Amino acid sequence: MATIRSFAPLSVPSTIYPKPSLRIPLFTSLPLPSSSSYGLTSSFLVRNEASLSPPIQALAKEALDESSSPLASSSSKLVFVVGGTGGVGQLVVASLLKRNIKSRLLLRDLEKATKLFGKQDEDSLQVVKGDTRNAEDLDPSMFEGVTHVICCTGTTAFPSQRWSGENTPDKVDWEGVRNLISALPSSVERVVLVSSVGVTKPNELPWSIMNLFGVLKYKKMGEDFLRESGLPFTIIRPGRLTDGPYTSYDLNTLLKATAGERRAVVIGQGDKLVGEVSRLVVAEACIQALDIEFTQGKAYEINSVKGDGPGSDPQKWRELFEVAESR
């Protein structure tokens, strides 16, 4: 049986923050007496703007002003997140917490979750230990109750320190994705896989440069395996990732996440887009795609450009995906 660690609900005083935004979550951890059956100390995550430096307060104001639509207050979903400590993954988890959507993280290092998200209870966030590169780690019990899956694992395209310990594209983007998809129950309602633009053009410039060590080839193999699995899926292919947070710090690095002027979103199909995209946009696209029925069984490329964006407004995101369908 998989060991599940648990995490606690987000509490944001609405009288102080009337416009919650997932752009730059501002969290500090307040310890509470332990009552967890898993032996962890519970805590609530609350905003603490007063302790922030002026530049960070400015970013917080930008985030609050940017989102005019309220986030869902509750959900019956249980979202299984793989890659939750990476740049996009951290934002996915923070956004799920903000929406009060229960999530379960698969992590190689359980302590990293505590450092990033604080000690919580199972009503909000659970953590299971495992590595997608090892098929035997993916015990069926860890998927009990899971309704949706977001996979945003990845490594660098070129040799780097992150390749140590067999953290290479073939192991992460192919074998890891294959093992995960093979282990998922047929009851899952949607699998969202983060891939990359250029996967269908690995021998064309500029993609042939990016693919020198096979990253696009292995991502496409992962995509194809998901397509053939019979599971309902949506594939998100981002352009070059920009903005924070960056991988493996703590939740406060989310304070660095800002799309700046690049808030507008461009979504396409057919692997034709070339450009950059904010990690914030990619995380939001993953969450929005869970509930847009016509995105099932399709792949979308995504960029962000200068201009006002959709924020977390479901209708605006639906319209963006519809535009991609009509092109």
Side-chain angles (χ1 to χ4, degrees):
M1 296 287 290
T3 300
I4 298 179
R5 289 195 179 184
S6 16
F7 282 68
L10 203 63
S11 175
V12 180
S14 58
T15 56
I16 302 177
Y17 300 98
K19 294 182 180 180
S21 169
L22 59 91
R23 288 285 179 174
I24 310 175
L26 311 174
F27 303 128
T28 56
S29 180
L30 299 180
L32 296 176
S34 175
S35 60
S36 168
S37 60
Y38 296 102
L40 291 178
T41 301
S42 298
S43 68
F44 287 102
L45 297 178
V46 298
R47 290 183 176 248
N48 185 3
E49 187 174 346
S51 65
L52 304 176
S53 64
I56 296 302
Q57 290 185 34
L59 293 179
K61 184 178 186 301
E62 174 192 0
L64 291 170
D65 291 343
E66 185 177 319
S67 178
S68 58
S69 61
L71 300 176
S73 59
S74 63
S75 173
S76 59
K77 295 185 182 74
L78 172 53
V79 183
F80 194 86
V81 181
V82 188
T85 59
V88 171
Q90 289 179 45
L91 289 163
V92 167
V93 174
S95 298
L96 292 171
L97 285 169
K98 176 73 80 173
R99 288 168 159 89
N100 292 327
I101 297 175
K102 188 174 181 178
S103 55
R104 184 177 296 161
L105 274 63
L106 177 70
L107 295 180
R108 303 172 193 172
D109 179 2
L110 295 179
E111 296 307 315
K112 183 175 284 189
T114 305
K115 293 175 183 177
L116 282 171
F117 306 113
K119 296 177 181 178
Q120 313 298 326
D121 68 39
E122 64 178 353
D123 291 333
S124 180
L125 183 63
Q126 303 171 346
V127 179
V128 292
K129 183 176 177 60
D131 187 336
T132 57
R133 298 172 302 174
N134 301 322
E136 61 272 17
D137 283 4
L138 304 178
D139 189 281
S141 63
M142 67 175 56
F143 302 111
E144 290 179 4
V146 169
T147 59
H148 298 75
V149 177
I150 297 177
C151 178
C152 41
T153 53
T155 187
T156 56
F158 301 97
S160 69
Q161 267 192 320
R162 288 185 61 189
W163 280 25
S164 62
E166 293 191 319
N167 202 49
T168 53
D170 59 321
K171 295 293 184 181
V172 175
D173 294 310
W174 164 231
E175 293 184 20
V177 170
R178 180 193 63 195
N179 292 339
L180 172 66
I181 299 306
S182 298
L184 292 178
S186 59
S187 58
V188 167
E189 297 175 24
R190 185 72 64 92
V191 179
V192 175
L193 174 67
V194 178
S195 182
S196 172
V197 296
V199 292
T200 67
K201 306 174 181 179
N203 299 317
E204 300 178 19
L205 287 171
W207 314 120
S208 57
I209 297 173
M210 184 177 178
N211 194 49
L212 283 174
F213 294 89
V215 66
L216 295 180
K217 178 182 75 172
Y218 293 121
K219 285 184 180 294
K220 183 61 164 60
M221 290 169 65
E223 283 190 14
D224 291 343
F225 193 84
L226 176 57
R227 288 179 186 277
E228 296 166 5
S229 69
L231 293 170
F233 71 88
T234 303
I235 296 169
I236 302 295
R237 295 169 172 169
R240 188 179 74 86
L241 295 171
T242 65
D243 309 318
Y246 303 98
T247 304
S248 301
Y249 294 108
D250 58 56
L251 193 56
N252 289 327
T253 60
L254 291 174
L255 299 173
K256 298 179 182 178
T258 171
E261 297 179 345
R262 302 172 65 88
R263 300 173 186 156
V265 176
V266 178
I267 299 179
Q269 288 186 297
D271 207 2
K272 299 174 184 177
L273 289 184
V274 178
E276 300 178 337
V277 61
S278 168
R279 287 174 172 86
L280 293 158
V281 169
V282 179
E284 186 64 24
C286 290
I287 295 173
Q288 293 288 342
L290 296 176
D291 293 319
I292 302 178
E293 65 284 349
F294 64 79
T295 65
Q296 180 176 317
K298 298 171 185 175
Y300 298 89
E301 294 77 48
I302 186 166
N303 283 347
S304 53
V305 296
K306 289 184 178 181
D308 293 331
S312 58
D313 188 321
Q315 183 56 38
K316 291 181 179 179
W317 276 96
R318 175 176 285 270
E319 291 170 359
L320 284 167
F321 279 108
E322 285 176 344
V323 169
E325 296 273 326
S326 65
R327 286 176 177 169

